[in-house]
Amino acid sequence: MAQPAGPVARHSGVSRERFRQDIYPLRKPAVLKGIDLGTCTTKWTVDYLSQTAGTKEVKIHVSTVPQMDFLSKNFVYRTLPFDVFVRRAAEVKHNEYFISEDEKYYLRSLGDDPRKDIADIRKQFPSLAEDIQIPEYFEKEQFFSSVFRISSAGLQLWTHYDIMDNFLIQITGKKRVILYNPRDAPYLYLAGTKSEVLNVDNPDLEKYPLFMKARRYECSLEAGDVLFIPDFFLPTALWFHNVISEEFGVGVNVFWKHLPSECYDKTDTYGNKDPTAASRAVQILDRALKTLEELPEEYRDFYARRMVLRIQEKAYSTNYE
Ligand SMILES: O=C(O)CCC(=O)C(=O)O
C-alpha cells in the first residue's frame, strides 16, 4: 500500500493580508474557501460558456482512457471551436467524436501563439474574464499567467510540478487533488517535471517499489474553492500534484512569479521550465557524468560517490523538514 493521505489545511474567508502573513510563509498547500470569485461561480453553465466564448478555436487533449499520460502520450491533440468543446467535455457519451464515443477531453488554455505568448484568460477569453475576480494575493507585477482548465468527468491529470506558486481556482465541478511533498521526489520516478506513476490510488509497487515511501496529501475541491499550490521555494520547494476531475468542471489557474524575474527562462510560456540556474547546473552535471565514463568502473564509482558527498555538503539545505 502507498502511504495514507495527510491532511491539507482548509481556511475560510481568508483575506489578502491573512494569506500573506499566516498561510503563504508556511509554503504548504492550503484550500481557501469562501473567497469572492465574482459571478463566474453561478453564471458558468455549459450554455453560458458556449454562448459567451463562442467559436474561438482551442487546442485540446483527447483521450480514450481517463488517466492521461504525458510521458507515453496516450492522448492526441485536436482543435475544436470552444463552444463545441465545452459541450462535448460536459457529455459522457458523444454522438460526434475523434476516437471513441466515450473519449475524455481536457483543455489547458494557451497564449495566442503558444511559442511566444503566455495564457491569460483576459486576453484569450475577455468576455468570460469579466465574470471572474481573481484573488490577487500577490503583487500585480508578479502575475505570470491565468490558464483555463476544463475537463471531462473522470479525467486524471498526470503528477507534475510547476515552477511558480499558483492558485487553482475551481469554479464549477469537483476535483480530488493528490499532492506529494517535494522532498519525496526520489520516490516519484520522475522524468523531467512529471512522474511515471500514473495510478496514484493503486500504484504498481512491483514496478515502482519506492513509491510507497512518498508522503501523500489529499484534498477535495468543491466549486468555489481555491487551492494554493506552492512551487519551487526553499525550505519546502516543489509540490507535486495529481488532479482527478470527479465531475465535468471548469477551473482557472493563476501563476505568479515569486523569484526575481531573471531566474525564470524567458522562453517558458507554460511556467513549467526549471529556473535557468537549475537547468544550467543539470547540464553541467550531465557533462561531469560523461567525463566520469572515461574511468574504469571502480574509479567511476569512487569519484561519483565523492561528488555526491560534495553536493550534499555544499548544496543541501539544513532547513529540511
Ligand atoms: O486542475 C487541473 O486540471 C490541473 C491543475 C494543475 O495542474 C495546476 O494547478 O498546476
Side-chain angles (χ1 to χ4, degrees):
M1 266 300 286
Q3 295 265 341
V8 174
R10 301 174 90 80
H11 306 273
S12 288
V14 173
S15 64
R16 184 179 198 265
E17 289 62 43
R18 185 163 158 235
F19 176 73
R20 291 167 69 101
Q21 262 177 34
D22 301 338
I23 300 172
Y24 188 72
L26 300 176
R27 312 296 311 163
K28 296 231 162 96
V31 178
L32 313 180
K33 298 187 81 72
I35 291 187
D36 182 5
L37 301 171
T39 52
C40 56
T41 48
T42 48
K43 270 190 180 169
W44 285 10
T45 59
V46 172
D47 282 345
Y48 177 85
L49 288 167
S50 5
Q51 277 155 22
T52 311
T55 55
K56 180 187 173 66
E57 297 216 313
V58 283
K59 191 171 167 195
I60 50 172
H61 303 63
V62 184
S63 158
T64 53
V65 289
Q67 270 169 358
M68 279 198 190
D69 180 1
F70 189 84
L71 298 173
S72 75
K73 290 262 167 36
N74 64 353
F75 56 85
V76 290
Y77 292 105
R78 291 287 180 270
T79 302
L80 278 178
F82 185 83
D83 54 346
V84 177
F85 155 69
V86 170
R87 289 190 187 285
R88 284 211 209 164
E91 300 166 347
V92 175
K93 282 227 164 11
H94 318 289
N95 288 328
E96 288 182 65
Y97 49 83
F98 295 106
I99 325 168
S100 66
E101 61 175 9
D102 57 354
E103 65 195 15
K104 308 270 179 229
Y105 296 87
Y106 185 67
L107 168 70
R108 187 258 185 236
S109 65
L110 302 169
D112 292 321
D113 175 351
R115 280 163 310 168
K116 291 200 290 234
D117 302 321
I118 288 161
D120 183 347
I121 60 162
R122 290 170 303 190
K123 294 194 180 129
Q124 287 92 42
F125 301 92
S127 45
L128 290 176
E130 283 175 14
D131 302 332
I132 174 165
Q133 192 170 309
I134 287 173
E136 286 191 2
Y137 289 5
F138 47 89
E139 301 299 335
K140 273 205 169 14
E141 327 63 87
Q142 290 177 284
F143 172 84
F144 177 73
S145 64
S146 53
V147 179
F148 246 135
R149 307 269 188 178
I150 301 184
S151 33
S152 295
L155 189 111
Q156 182 167 12
L157 193 71
W158 54 84
T159 306
H160 67 283
Y161 68 85
D162 304 291
I163 59 140
M164 285 177 208
D165 282 340
N166 82 84
F167 279 150
L168 172 55
I169 305 170
Q170 193 60 30
I171 294 165
T172 65
K174 269 196 203 164
K175 258 180 197 156
R176 195 153 66 84
V177 184
I178 293 154
L179 299 119
Y180 293 96
N181 191 306
R183 295 278 148 87
D184 292 345
Y187 315 132
L188 294 179
Y189 298 85
L190 295 179
T193 60
K194 288 134 191 121
S195 165
E196 278 182 28
V197 185
L198 281 189
N199 192 345
V200 289
D201 287 327
N202 193 11
D204 179 346
L205 292 176
E206 264 180 38
K207 195 165 171 198
Y208 305 113
L210 296 178
F211 189 75
M212 64 187 295
K213 293 190 176 187
R215 282 166 290 173
R216 166 191 171 111
Y217 295 79
E218 184 166 337
C219 62
S220 293
L221 293 184
E222 311 273 337
D225 289 350
V226 174
L227 174 65
F228 168 53
I229 308 179
D231 283 303
F232 217 89
F233 198 82
L234 290 171
T236 30
L238 298 163
W239 281 82
F240 294 88
H241 45 287
N242 182 294
V243 181
I244 302 157
S245 297
E246 296 186 318
E247 296 171 349
F248 160 75
V250 180
V252 173
N253 238 183
V254 184
F255 291 91
W256 68 90
K257 298 179 187 181
H258 57 281
L259 299 179
S261 277
E262 58 279 12
C263 295
Y264 298 104
D265 185 331
K266 302 240 167 344
T267 65
D268 182 14
T269 56
Y270 284 77
N272 64 5
K273 285 195 187 163
D274 290 318
T276 48
S279 309
R280 283 203 316 274
V282 170
Q283 279 166 14
I284 294 166
L285 176 67
D286 285 344
R287 283 212 298 279
L289 292 172
K290 189 96 200 120
T291 310
L292 282 184
E293 281 174 18
E294 291 170 23
L295 293 166
E297 189 180 344
E298 65 274 30
Y299 281 78
R300 192 167 64 230
D301 179 278
F302 177 76
Y303 287 103
R305 286 174 198 274
R306 282 192 54 191
M307 280 162 62
V308 170
L309 290 175
R310 197 169 160 84
I311 290 175
Q312 281 176 351
E313 189 187 303
K314 297 276 181 197
Y316 276 24
S317 164
T318 48
N319 193 354
Y320 199 96
E321 245 177 38

